[in-house]
Amino acid sequence: MPPDRVLVVGGSGRTGARLVRRLCADPTLEVKVLARDPAKAAWVLEQEGRPASSSSSGAGGAVEIVQGDMLNLDAWAHILDDVDVIVTAVSCGLRTDPLVLLGLRPAPANL
């Protein structure tokens, strides 16, 4: 059975990096991280004991870092075709509501 593919948005932040470490401990998962700054994400994940790469390494391997700004969905939406689960570790507020960003909920009028 192929591994479940998980995309972590916000995986290079304090909470997100710890979440990525825990997800990587599960050999049935393949983990990707969406990051604005891949170099920072690689450094943060290495501090958490997870090697990072810019290409897919499969379950139990390095975390794949995908460059992208979560606010620019058009730029990274193509990677969603290759993902089974999306987890967000972003500090959410009105401007970063994942349902608004994915077009599943209208944006509040005050934005």
Side-chain angles (χ1 to χ4, degrees):
M1 174 183 268
D4 283 331
R5 296 161 299 192
V6 179
L7 172 65
V8 179
V9 180
S12 62
R14 181 177 51 194
T15 301
R18 291 180 175 126
L19 173 63
V20 168
R21 182 184 65 206
R22 300 286 302 268
L23 291 170
C24 288
D26 185 335
T28 68
L29 300 177
E30 183 178 300
V31 181
K32 295 181 181 188
V33 170
L34 179 71
R36 284 184 309 239
D37 183 345
K40 174 193 172 199
W43 183 84
V44 168
L45 294 171
E46 287 171 9
Q47 301 308 303
E48 285 291 323
R50 293 306 314 164
S53 75
S54 58
S55 62
S56 181
S57 299
V63 175
E64 180 182 355
I65 298 174
V66 179
Q67 183 172 7
D69 183 332
M70 70 174 282
L71 297 176
N72 185 1
L73 182 59
D74 291 337
W76 57 271
H78 65 281
I79 67 169
L80 297 176
D81 293 335
D82 195 32
V83 171
D84 300 307
V85 177
I86 301 171
V87 178
T88 180
V90 173
S91 174
C92 286
L94 290 176
R95 294 179 185 254
T96 56
D97 180 338
L99 296 177
V100 171
L101 293 172
L102 293 173
L104 301 174
R105 177 184 320 176
N110 63 347
L111 287 182

